[in-house]
Amino acid sequence: MVRQLTRETMDLPAYQVERRQRILDAAKNLLRANEYESIQIRDVASEANVALGTLYRYFSSKEHLYANVVYDWSVPFGAADEAVPDSLSTTERVAQRLRQALAAFQKRPNFYQTILMLRTSSDPDVRELMQQLVLLLEEPLRADFSTLSPDEAADITAMVWAILMDMVGRLLASNQTLEDANRVLVRFVKMIGLRLDQVEAGAL
C-alpha cells in the first residue's frame, strides 16, 4: 500500500518512517480488537516491540498517536475512486460511497468511535490532523458535485459528512439500526438528486 505523507513524516529518514509505521500498525491492530479507551499506550509500545520512550519520540500522546492511526487507516477510503464506477450517476456514486462507509463501520466500529472522540480534542496537533482527515474523505464527494458551484459543492459535501457521522454516532449508541441509517442516507441522497436535477435543468 502506498502511504500518504503527512507533515509529520516528510522530513524523517526512511528507517524512522518504517519504525513509525510499525507503531501505527501495532496501534491499529489493538484498536481492531479493543475500544480506544481500554488501550494503554504502553500496550502499543509492547505490540510494536519498541521502548515507550521511542514511541513518544513520534507521538506526543495517546490522542496524537490514534489521530495518526485513524488517518492512516482512512487513506485508502479517500483514494478508492476505482471502486465507484464513472458510469454511475452522481447520486448513485454518492449512495455507493455512503454504503461503503457504513460497511466499513460494520467491520471496524472502534475506528469510527475513535474518530468521533478525537474530533473534539483540544490538542492542536490532533485537531489539525483530524481536519486533514475530513478533507481527505470529503475530496471524492466534492468531485462528485462538480456540476455545482464550488461553494455549494463544499456545503453539500459538509452536510453529507455531518449526516454520516451522526448516523454512525447513533449506531454506536445503539439508538438506531443499520437499516435505519441506510434509510436516512438514501432519503438524503434523493434530496441531493433534486438539487442536481435543478442545476441540470438550468434552474438557479
Side-chain angles (χ1 to χ4, degrees):
M1 180 189 301
V2 177
R3 301 291 182 183
Q4 181 156 325
L5 293 177
T6 64
R7 176 177 57 82
E8 299 178 16
T9 59
M10 286 181 179
D11 298 327
L12 292 179
Y15 78 93
Q16 289 192 8
V17 171
E18 187 279 331
R19 182 186 295 157
R20 181 181 183 278
Q21 188 62 47
R22 191 165 78 246
I23 295 169
L24 287 177
D25 290 341
K28 205 180 299 180
N29 286 339
L30 288 171
L31 191 59
R32 288 188 178 104
N34 306 276
E35 291 187 359
Y36 170 81
E37 291 181 336
S38 70
I39 299 171
Q40 301 295 319
I41 201 158
R42 62 176 175 270
D43 298 330
V44 179
S46 177
E47 178 80 8
N49 196 27
V50 300
L52 190 58
T54 299
L55 185 151
Y56 277 118
R57 291 177 193 167
Y58 298 95
F59 306 103
S60 60
S61 66
K62 179 181 171 181
E63 279 193 348
H64 185 218
L65 168 61
Y66 272 96
N68 279 275
V69 165
V70 295
Y71 182 90
D72 188 71
W73 175 72
S74 299
V75 165
F77 296 105
D81 261 9
E82 65 275 8
V84 182
D86 291 333
S87 59
L88 296 180
S89 69
T90 298
T91 52
E92 288 171 337
R93 288 171 67 83
V94 172
Q96 183 158 331
R97 293 190 197 286
L98 294 176
R99 286 194 297 271
Q100 290 172 343
L102 287 180
F105 165 78
Q106 280 185 286
K107 293 179 180 178
R108 302 288 181 229
N110 292 343
F111 284 77
Y112 277 78
Q113 184 180 49
T114 303
I115 290 171
L116 287 172
M117 292 175 61
L118 294 178
R119 288 175 71 194
T120 60
S121 172
S122 59
D123 183 326
D125 290 333
V126 173
R127 291 174 65 180
E128 179 183 347
L129 196 55
M130 297 309 292
Q131 288 170 358
Q132 289 180 31
L133 173 60
V134 170
L135 291 174
L136 173 76
L137 295 178
E138 285 185 347
E139 181 55 39
L141 285 168
R142 283 195 297 272
D144 287 339
F145 299 136
S146 58
T147 58
L148 303 173
S149 70
D151 285 347
E152 187 172 7
D155 289 347
I156 292 180
T157 296
M159 293 177 201
V160 173
W161 171 258
I163 288 177
L164 175 61
M165 288 295 100
D166 182 67
M167 293 299 101
V168 167
R170 295 185 187 203
L171 287 168
L172 287 167
S174 299
N175 289 336
Q176 67 177 18
T177 66
L178 193 63
E179 182 180 356
D180 293 332
N182 273 303
R183 186 184 67 253
V184 172
L185 292 173
V186 166
R187 287 184 188 276
F188 184 63
V189 171
K190 286 181 179 178
M191 291 171 62
I192 294 172
L194 295 175
R195 175 55 185 152
L196 293 172
D197 289 344
Q198 285 182 325
V199 172
E200 290 177 3
L204 295 178

